[in-house]
Amino acid sequence: MQVVVIDDRADWMKKEDVWWVCFSRCPLYKKCSSHFGSNCKRLGGDKIPKVRDNDGSN
């Protein structure tokens, strides 16, 4: 038996799920400007996040 999962929620709900993964699991959340969620290299994905320096510049 094959099961197909369809996510028909609003786009803002999907974005909020990605944001929540970053917020709850990553210690660099406040310095990161990417917020890739589980696709982030730091959380096991393959996208490299962009992290700001201490002075707020890139």
Side-chain angles (χ1 to χ4, degrees), residues 36-49:
F36 291 131
S38 58
N39 290 331
C40 179
K41 188 103 170 155
R42 184 156 180 93
L43 299 176
D46 58 352
K47 294 185 178 179
I48 299 173

Side-chain angles (χ1 to χ4, degrees), residues 16-34:
E16 190 175 69
D17 287 346
V18 171
W19 171 84
W20 183 253
V21 170
C22 293
F23 179 77
S24 63
R25 294 177 53 201
C26 185
L28 297 176
Y29 172 77
K30 290 183 179 180
K31 294 182 180 183
C32 182
S33 60
S34 302

